Amino acid sequence: MNRALNRLAGSLAAAAWLTTGCGSTSVNTLEPAEPTAQRAMVSDHRVLADRSLASAVRVVGVNTATDAAGFLKVQLETYNPSRKRKLFTYRVEWFDAQGMVIHLPTATSIPMSLEARETKFITATAPTPQAKDFRFRFLEPVN
Amino acid sequence: MKTSFLGMPLLAILLATGCSGPKTTYVDPGSSRLVTTTEGINIQDFSQAADTMVNSLIDQLINPGALRSGAPNQPALLAISRIQNNTGQQLDTDLLVRKIRVALLRTGKVQTSTTIAFGGPEDPLAAEELANNQFFNDRPTRRPDYTLSGKIIEDRTRAGNVRQSAYIFQLALTDVRQGVAVWEDEKTIVKQGSRPTVGF
């Protein structure tokens, strides 16, 4: 009886490994040990309502830049520490100096995927020079 | 007693159909709850493409101060040229172009002409009034500084059960004084699926 149970558990584990293994690949990366570019990192405030999404899509750092014309640029470094590919969507909201949201017809949820152990950058440019603040919203895809 | 026995299954059926029946709800057009299909370009695809193009225009042309205006202290004037639809589906290219126009107008750096456009003026009455104004007041019309042209291309493939549709949005901004494309970009949206799905 015990042997039969062990066999069943073994075959279930193998099936699970096969099904997850088919769709997942891990990413190897390479970069200079001492990067030339200096990023202006900003401290962030996070509200984590979906723990599983937050653990699979980690925001490693946020940096910003403003060019001559005054358009704010934001860059998020995201990392998937898990062993599975992760699909998610993100959306950026922009706020003016008074904290009012700036509505745009191009505002949409952008789909993205991170392979296992992959790092990806998300960049966004403010729609107007009046945009002073931003908020990123991450969401699991709705199936 | 008999009536209550008959009423129970009826109530159960009513409840079951009430819960699982067809339901229509409003959906935020910017949310991730929109219907996504491999059969064609969905509205969120146009929004994504427009968002990428506007970001690219701001990053490469507006932010570095490379956008030039023919009229001093005025935003650059843009005219919409040919946006070719090379997909198999019939679509209104304004779904892409209008979003870009609105976003560019909000930057305060670009305005779009409604009297000069490929295929005739978008606003015929404004064009007529402008012509009258020129004729009676002998004032020169402002010519566009840039034209926006582009193409939407479709590529479909199928491997077994998996269907893949790729939509390529290509846009170019031409400086009319030189006839040179000063900005160009391409956004490719690829969708895979075995059947129409909702979401990602």
Side-chain angles (χ1 to χ4, degrees):
Chain A
M1 186 67 180
N2 271 347
R3 190 177 283 177
L5 275 174
N6 280 343
R7 271 187 190 169
L8 182 69
S11 47
L12 279 173
W17 181 80
L18 278 170
T19 49
T20 55
C22 286
S24 294
T25 49
S26 291
V27 175
N28 298 334
T29 57
L30 183 144
E31 61 184 331
E34 288 172 23
T36 319
Q38 294 294 313
R39 285 195 257 165
M41 306 306 287
V42 291
S43 56
D44 56 80
H45 170 72
R46 299 174 191 200
V47 179
L48 306 177
D50 187 340
R51 294 273 164 193
S52 74
L53 177 66
S55 63
V57 182
R58 281 196 194 158
V59 179
V60 181
V62 185
N63 64 302
T64 58
T66 310
D67 272 358
F71 289 84
L72 179 67
K73 273 185 84 170
V74 187
Q75 182 173 259
L76 260 67
E77 187 176 356
T78 55
Y79 173 64
N80 176 10
S82 76
R83 291 181 179 179
K84 280 199 227 168
R85 179 178 177 234
K86 187 71 187 174
L87 302 172
F88 66 99
T89 65
Y90 73 90
R91 191 174 171 181
V92 196
E93 288 173 309
W94 296 97
F95 303 91
D96 65 15
Q98 283 78 43
M100 302 301 285
V101 70
I102 298 168
H103 293 285
L104 275 174
T106 51
T108 187
S109 294
I110 298 164
M112 207 167 159
S113 71
L114 278 171
E115 296 290 341
R117 313 262 191 263
E118 188 181 21
T119 297
K120 247 185 201 175
F121 287 96
I122 296 174
T123 54
T125 305
T128 75
Q130 282 78 43
K132 301 294 175 201
D133 279 318
F134 57 88
R135 181 188 287 159
F136 278 80
R137 289 199 293 179
F138 295 88
L139 206 72
E140 293 260 11
V142 183
N143 293 312
Chain B
M1 193 68 185
K2 268 182 184 175
T3 48
S4 67
F5 266 114
L6 280 171
M8 289 286 273
L10 275 174
L11 186 70
I13 290 165
L14 198 72
L15 279 170
T17 52
C19 292
S20 61
K23 202 169 76 175
T24 306
T25 52
Y26 284 103
V27 182
D28 174 6
S31 78
S32 52
R33 292 186 177 273
L34 301 175
V35 172
T36 306
T37 61
T38 54
E39 305 305 314
I41 308 175
N42 305 120
I43 53 160
Q44 61 271 37
D45 301 332
F46 284 112
S47 299
Q48 260 190 69
D51 184 55
T52 307
M53 294 300 177
V54 171
N55 275 351
S56 171
L57 264 164
I58 293 172
D59 288 343
Q60 291 171 44
L61 214 66
I62 299 173
N63 230 350
L67 197 75
R68 305 261 175 255
S69 171
N73 303 321
Q74 285 207 21
L77 189 63
L78 175 72
I80 307 299
S81 186
R82 180 192 285 162
I83 310 289
Q84 220 171 310
N85 171 22
N86 275 6
T87 68
Q89 67 181 115
Q90 195 174 6
L91 50 93
D92 191 334
T93 53
D94 250 3
L95 285 165
L96 174 76
V97 177
R98 185 69 66 167
K99 284 181 174 55
I100 295 171
R101 281 173 58 168
V102 173
L104 287 178
L105 184 66
R106 301 252 175 106
T107 64
K109 312 284 181 189
V110 184
Q111 287 178 336
T112 307
S113 170
T114 52
T115 55
I116 303 164
F118 177 79
E122 184 187 316
D123 186 340
L125 186 60
E128 206 175 292
E129 285 302 312
L130 186 71
N132 286 341
N133 197 23
Q134 274 176 277
F135 182 76
F136 293 115
N137 301 326
D138 197 26
R139 281 170 59 186
T141 326
R142 193 180 161 195
R143 305 299 302 169
D145 303 301
Y146 298 95
T147 58
L148 185 76
S149 61
K151 205 183 259 191
I152 306 169
I153 304 164
E154 180 184 44
D155 178 81
R156 284 183 186 220
T157 352
R158 190 174 175 164
N161 249 352
V162 180
R163 280 179 288 181
Q164 180 178 291
S165 301
Y167 297 98
I168 303 118
F169 298 84
Q170 299 176 331
L171 286 181
L173 195 76
T174 304
D175 184 338
V176 292
R177 284 159 292 191
Q178 303 169 56
V180 174
V182 289
W183 168 86
E184 285 184 274
D185 214 333
E186 183 178 274
K187 168 77 178 172
T188 305
I189 292 173
V190 185
K191 297 187 279 186
Q192 281 185 352
S194 48
R195 60 192 159 81
T197 52
V198 174
F200 196 89

